[in-house]
Amino acid sequence: MRSDTVTKGSQQAPHRSLMNALGLTKEEMERPLVGIVSSYNEIVPGHMNLDKIVEAVKMGVAMAGGTPIVFPAIAVCDGIAMGHIGMKYSLVTRDLIADSTEAMALAHQFDALVMVPNCDKNVPGLLMAAARINIPTIFVSGGPMLAGHVKGEKRSLSSMFEAVGAYAAGTITEEELDEFECKVCPTCGSCSGMYTANSMNCLTEVLGMGLKGNGTIPAVYSERIRLAKHAGMQVMELWRKNICPRDIMTREAVLNALTVDMALGCSTNSMLHLPAIAHEIGMDFEIDFANGISEKTPNLCHLAPAGPTYIEDLNEAGGVYAVMNELDKKGLLYTDCMTVTGKTVKENIAGCINKNPEVIRPVDHPYSETGGLAVLKGNLAPDGSVVKRSAVVEEMMVHEGPARVFDCEDDAIKAIKGGEIHPGDVVVIRYVGPKGGPGMPEMLNPTSAIAGMGLGSSVALITDGRFSGASRGASIGHVSPEAAVGGPIALVEEGDIIKIDIPGLKLELDVPEEELERRRKAWQPKEPEVKTGYLARYAAMVTSGNRGAILEIPKN
């Protein structure tokens, strides 16, 4: 056992003395030591229940012959961090989580790991760590929040942000705004739509790292506790068979994840996290993969914010495995991939029928023949940009209009709420990329303000930042290269015509090349907003959005 290096032999007597101090018995030290990475905290609604999940995992591990030992991982609530300096600290935690978990797991020589994440950057951070550490590992998340109900309709966090815009526009009253505030987030769990947390928890199932239902069983269901116990038991099977993350998270598994991403209509943030996870397994992930997969992958789900259905509805309809079973009817998945069940994808999804064709469209009757995400390129985004195509209204799929240029989010929001943005405009928010932010903050506030002001079907937003999974509309993010490194988005001037062609996968600035060259020569880098601490170190090492904002040591 790996843990023999700290539990066996006379040289390890000092190690055992410290384990005695923990209250561990000789019998416990002789069993495999299973690290349980707990993301529990009391500030993230999706994490407040993880203490119960962790206790269930511990029982499962002990029942199956292991010794469970808990250590922590951090997590940021993107919703609470939104709209202030805290949003700079969201994406950057992904690498802190991966690095600190690697340090804890290797420093203490665990034999296996159970990862207990739930929200936003916590899931991809722990997937990156799992690939890096590469000892038997299984995931069990805290589960999604139930949808709220306002005026007889299901609602979620995106409804709340849009209600703020509607209140600013004078279309709802303060009392109605208060009703949204009190009802849209009714339980613990990751926010109830197909936002980033639920996207990544669902894709954890597809990658083969979580058991069936990991992405969809609601947080408040007792079934989630049973799932956690089974995950604890199953990690011991993985240990006995020495099945490790890199046996499971292969190139084919990553491509499966991208395929199901297209069918589900996941958050655009998955196009940051899948490349980063792929990087950890040594796979060169070009975001252009998305377009090739999208061309042949039908979009089967319109989950909030793209439509009126929620993760709880997906769960009742058969969950992620039912979506995968639909896709397999067209041979769109690599079904020989190994998973944490000890079985292949094909064995896992056999018999997982679609129980509600209104929630999961049959593969021969999709919402669209192409997938939920698209990568756009052109002279405004030579290295690519990302849009959630499934959340764009038909009239905005092809659009051109004058640029309204802002060098920070706050100025854009003031203009939107102040009535300065008009139908046809293209709002450009720049210097908010991985380096420029730093930390690539989410632009949910401006996209929600646009929707709330009634401009969602006539105004586009383009940024080198990113979007929440709760964003909808013609919201094009991850524009690469970013403004902070002199990308073309830094050269856009007020009134320039921008042409968007989502079906044609184009994003163009209608300015002559000679004029762009003149602007390029005159461009000066913007003074960094943050010069000290972790954000400054992050900005020095981070790559562009098209590479997943991974960290690399700068070359001299």
Side-chain angles (χ1 to χ4, degrees), residues 478-522:
H478 308 194
V479 171
S480 302
E482 63 174 293
V485 297
I489 192 171
L491 310 180
V492 181
E493 294 183 359
E494 188 80 8
D496 286 347
I497 298 299
I498 293 176
K499 296 182 176 181
I500 300 164
D501 182 356
I502 295 174
L505 308 174
K506 291 288 186 182
L507 182 61
E508 297 281 350
L509 181 62
D510 191 15
V511 173
E513 181 54 40
E514 312 84 71
E515 172 60 16
L516 287 178
E517 185 58 31
R518 184 193 67 76
R519 296 180 190 179
R520 194 172 288 116
K521 289 177 180 177

Side-chain angles (χ1 to χ4, degrees), residues 129-167:
R132 199 182 294 175
I133 300 162
N134 202 37
I135 60 175
T137 301
I138 195 168
F139 277 66
V140 57
S141 77
M145 184 184 291
L146 294 178
H149 291 81
V150 180
K151 300 186 188 306
E153 293 184 21
K154 285 186 176 181
R155 299 288 190 172
S156 62
L157 184 64
S158 56
S159 310
M160 182 71 252
F161 277 91
E162 291 178 14
V164 172
Y167 176 68

